[in-house]
Amino acid sequence: MRRAVNEALQALREPPSEIVVELAREMALGLKARKEIEEKINRNRKDRAKARQTLIDHGQPGTDRNVLRYLLWQEQENHCPYCAGRISLEQALDGNETNLEHILPRSLTRVGRQRDHLVLAHRACNDLKGDRTPYEAFGQDADRWARRAILRERSEAKPPPS
């Protein structure tokens, strides 16, 4: 791939304004699906840029690590998914207070660090969960599930962000 791009650049004799590389698996999807993928990528890029600026505005480093933690924290509405306790912005960014946690253990899924498979949890909750699914870890704790249900109901009652 790199060689092909370099050969194309040499043939042009000047730098292009943009390079678009479409993989064969994406080409088979059709124009509509490829456009949806591109829109999702652009939304993610904008969300990451906005998160980075928000962190900087709060006096925090706008690193990729912090951006990921901030986006998860925001998606979770500032709550730990396992205890429903609040997580402050400072805790969200502090690796001693919170962990990036695979909802389903990596030993079961072999999924890497994909945001769709991660949550931001209190370190103590993550340690308690261990290498188990949330149900295996907390399934017998009725109080914990009740707190989560109340939080979920509140979240569903809120209008979606515009």
Side-chain angles (χ1 to χ4, degrees), residues 48-120:
R48 292 182 62 75
K50 185 177 177 183
R52 182 169 278 113
Q53 187 57 53
T54 300
L55 288 168
I56 291 168
D57 291 347
H58 281 88
Q60 300 291 336
T63 63
D64 288 343
R65 173 194 169 277
N66 282 354
V67 167
L68 174 61
R69 285 174 161 272
Y70 177 83
L71 290 172
L72 289 170
W73 175 73
Q74 196 175 39
E75 286 171 9
Q76 296 168 204
E77 297 182 355
N78 316 343
H79 289 86
C80 175
Y82 301 133
C83 72
R86 283 195 116 8
I87 298 175
S88 70
L89 176 59
E90 292 74 24
Q91 289 173 322
L93 301 178
D94 184 349
N96 293 318
E97 296 283 335
T98 55
N99 290 138
L100 289 176
E101 154 64 3
H102 285 85
I103 302 164
L104 296 176
R106 289 181 66 193
S107 61
L108 294 177
T109 63
R110 302 288 183 230
V111 171
R113 224 173 114 153
Q114 297 174 11
R115 192 165 120 201
D116 293 348
H117 298 272
L118 296 173
V119 292
L120 187 66

Side-chain angles (χ1 to χ4, degrees), residues 31-44:
L31 288 175
K32 184 178 178 187
R34 291 194 334 242
K35 183 170 176 50
E36 289 171 2
I37 291 171
E38 187 176 331
E39 287 170 354
K40 183 178 178 182
I41 289 169
N42 287 334
R43 270 194 313 273
N44 284 339

